[in-house]
Every structure is written in structure tokens, then in C-alpha cells.
Amino acid sequence: MPQYDFLIVGAGLYGSVFAHEATKRNKKCLVIDRRSHTGGNIYCDSIDGINVHTYGAHIFHTNDKDIWDYVNSFVPFNRYTNSPLALYKGELYNLPFNMNTFYQLWKVKTPQEAQTIIQQQIEDLNIGEPQNLEEQALSLVGKDVYEKLIKGYTEKQWGRSAKDLPAFIIKRLPVRFTYDNNYFNDKYQGIPVGGYNKLTEGLLKDIEVRLNVDYIKERATLNNLADTIVFTGQLDEFYDFQFGQLAYRSLRFEHEHLKDTANFQGNAVVNYTEREIPFTRIIEHKHFEFGQQPTTVITKEYPKEWEKGDEPYYPVNDDTNMQLLKQYQQLAAAETKVIFGGRLAEYRYYDMHQVIGSALAKTRKLFEES
Ligand code: UDP
């Protein structure tokens, strides 16, 4: 008899929620992670009392009250509202695209004036059903917004022409004809008070975790430990890349601790939307939690293509990779002892609330409660 009901590979959000839910139902779980800490990419380092989002900015938002109540049951969330700025050739613009942005671009003050300009630009382009990200963006916001605030950012973020990217990526960006700089449309958003590690610690409380354990290297022995494996790592790596590698975008972060500066940019997120600047954004972490520390930590985010050894951040859901994914998914569907879940195993551009929702739905179904 194996010692555990579940061996959960990966202590990120999917693995932690799964482990929590299974443990609640009296299942015995072991969580392992190849990293030296839990939390996956929501993990934060603490520098001078500032929670630094080590693997990139994470801002929690959801429309789902159950998910909001769920995360708040582990740690209260603050009232942080994401209102990023975009810097393009020395000019600052508000995001997401709203009346403030349109005033900054064209000096228009009324929604009607802004709509007229955008409508005119869209008509001039004469695009039918959008086939890619560029067409999708152009037919939503017209040429000016696209060229100043989308094209450069998107192409450096993805390392591909906007014409070769799927349209859905840009659907994340709202367009509004009100003076509202709130990036998200969701009812609920915020940052855990005291940082994201509190959320992970809450989820994994009293659950056995082993760090610095590499499942891929040690799977022969690890598989004997449990009835079921919950794998949250890269699906292609699970199958030894046998059909080839799924593409990811990776990121390189340059963290700087500015010891003589209390407030570097006055906002948590400033996007650099021109192509010529190699990083996509600068994050100033203290502003996520309204920090009053005498120093500050900033992070420049440089996108790059993923190579073995890099952290895989964003799946590249273009046609080629979706085809390759299907081949791996066929192998996955035939597994009887393995559950695949989360951003890497599902190869999906998931937000945190979606990962949590997916793990909750999975456990509910598994334990037949839905
Ligand atoms: N985007 C853009 N300009 C911006 C911010 C975002 O064109 O200033 C586009 C870009 O295509 C990006 C997508 O919107 O890939 C989603 O960006 P967001 O910052 O919301 O996603 P995250 O990287 O935080 O998941």
C-alpha cells in the first residue's frame, strides 16, 4: 500500500489548493517541489520589509465571490487597485485604454469625441473578422492606440509579430469611455495583507512538503509513494519532450534595491511600450501594499524565449504549439494514475483565480460533490 493518497508535484497555486482540498477530505498528501520554496510563482522575497514579487507581479482579481471568499479565508486582502501607466517615447499614458488615455493622446474630453476618432480609424483600416492579435487590437482601438501602446509592448513581450499571435491575448485589455484607470473589470481585487506567502502558508498548513525534490529526476522512486500523482509541471517535460518542446516565453528580472530612494516611480506598475526599450515594465513592489519603508525595490522585466533551464512563464498558444499540445494531451488522457493541472500542465495562460477555480472544480469532481 502506498504511503500517500496523493503525491502533488509542484507547490504552486494549483498544487497547494489541491493539497488543501484533499487534506480537508482526510486524504494523505505529500507535496514536492524542485524549488527551495513553496508558492510557485506567487512566492515573494522580503527585502527591507518589502514583499518582492520574485517571479513577476501578481495582482489578484476575480469576479467569483466564492473564490474571493476562499482566498480571504486564508489571509485578508488589501484594497490595491491596479492602475498601470504606460511610458511611450517620454510621454505618460493611463491604462487600460480609457478617457484619460484618449485625452492624453488627442486632447479629447468627451466620450463622443473619443469614439468618433477611434471609429474613424477603425473604418479606415477596413478589417473584417480579426484573424490575429494585430487585427483584433486595431479593430478595437484603432491605429494610434495600437501603435503607441500595444504593438511595441506586445512584440517584445512575445518575441513575435503581432500578426502571428492569437487574438485572445489582447481581450484581456479593456477599452472604456469613462475616466476609470482600474485595469481590471472584476468585482474583487487586491493583494494579501503581508504578502502572497501568507496565502501559500495557509493553504499548505499541516501538509507535508518536501523541497528541492525533482520529480522528473526521481520519478521511479517517487511514484511508489502514492496512489495518484498530481502533476503541475510542464506537460512536455513529463513526457521527456518526445514530440518536441512546447514554446514558452520566459522572463529575466533585474531586481534593484534602491537604498537612497523611498519612492521611485509613484506607482506599482509602469509599462514601457516602445520597442526600443528592452524591458516591458518596471515594478515598484512596495506600492502593492502601500509600503512606507525608507528604501524601495524595483524590478525591470525583460522578456525572452524560453530555453531549457529558464523558468517557463507564458505558454505560446499559437497554432503550431496547440497542435503539439494535442499530441501530449492524447498521452495524458490515457493516464490512469496521474492528474494534470495548472498553467504549465494545461499549457494555459491562466490568471491566479482561474488556477484556483480549476483546482477547486477538479477536487470537487474527484470527490464527487459537484
Ligand atoms: N498589452 C499591451 N500594452 C500594455 C500592456 C499589455 O499591448 O501596455 C497587451 C500585450 O499584448 C500583453 C497583453 O496585453 O501580452 C496582456 O498584458 P498584461 O500585462 O495584462 O498581462 P500579464 O503579462 O500581466 O499576464
Side-chain angles (χ1 to χ4, degrees), residues 57-59 61 82 84-87 95 97 133 137 145-146 148-155 157-158 162 165-166 168-174 183-184 251 269-273 280-281 301 314 349-351:
H58 282 75
I59 301 150
H61 57 97
N82 195 31
L85 292 161
L87 195 69
L95 292 175
F97 314 128
L133 191 151
V145 173
Y146 176 68
K148 291 189 172 164
L149 302 177
I150 299 177
K151 186 175 161 54
Y153 186 97
T154 299
E155 294 192 339
Q157 163 84 335
W158 296 95
L165 287 165
F168 81 84
I169 291 175
I170 206 76
K171 290 192 182 132
R172 294 163 60 88
L173 272 180
Y183 196 65
F184 299 115
L251 301 168
V269 184
V270 178
N271 291 356
Y272 286 73
T273 58
T280 47
R281 47 191 166 193
E301 192 170 315
Y314 298 93
Y349 188 2
Y350 267 144
D351 288 333

Side-chain angles (χ1 to χ4, degrees), residues 1 29 31-32 35-36 39 103 118 147 190 252 260 309 342 350:
M1 266 283 281
C29 295
V31 179
I32 59 170
R35 288 181 178 163
S36 58
Y103 175 71
I118 291 177
E147 284 177 358
R252 182 172 65 80
D260 301 321
Y350 267 144

Side-chain angles (χ1 to χ4, degrees), residues 164-235:
D164 297 329
L165 287 165
F168 81 84
I169 291 175
I170 206 76
K171 290 192 182 132
R172 294 163 60 88
L173 272 180
V175 181
R176 297 198 192 109
F177 293 94
T178 51
Y179 288 91
D180 178 1
N181 295 327
N182 179 354
Y183 196 65
F184 299 115
N185 285 322
D186 293 328
K187 263 192 224 152
Y188 311 100
Q189 71 177 299
I191 302 283
V193 174
Y196 279 96
N197 297 355
K198 300 250 184 261
L199 176 59
T200 313
E201 283 156 19
L203 285 164
L204 292 175
K205 190 167 176 287
D206 300 328
I207 296 173
E208 188 181 346
V209 178
R210 294 186 201 163
L211 298 171
N212 305 303
V213 177
D214 191 331
Y215 174 78
I216 299 293
K217 289 196 186 125
E218 298 174 42
R219 70 168 110 187
T221 34
L222 289 168
N223 280 344
N224 295 325
L225 293 179
D227 291 322
T228 304
I229 312 295
V230 179
F231 184 77
T232 72
Q234 286 174 249
L235 186 61

Side-chain angles (χ1 to χ4, degrees), residues 15 51 54 65 80 91 98 112 145 156 196 230 260 272 286 300 335:
N51 289 310
T54 309
K65 186 168 185 306
Y80 175 79
E91 300 288 334
N98 73 84
Q112 206 186 346
V145 173
K156 63 185 166 180
Y196 279 96
V230 179
D260 301 321
Y272 286 73
K286 69 191 310 180
K300 291 185 183 132
E335 301 284 353

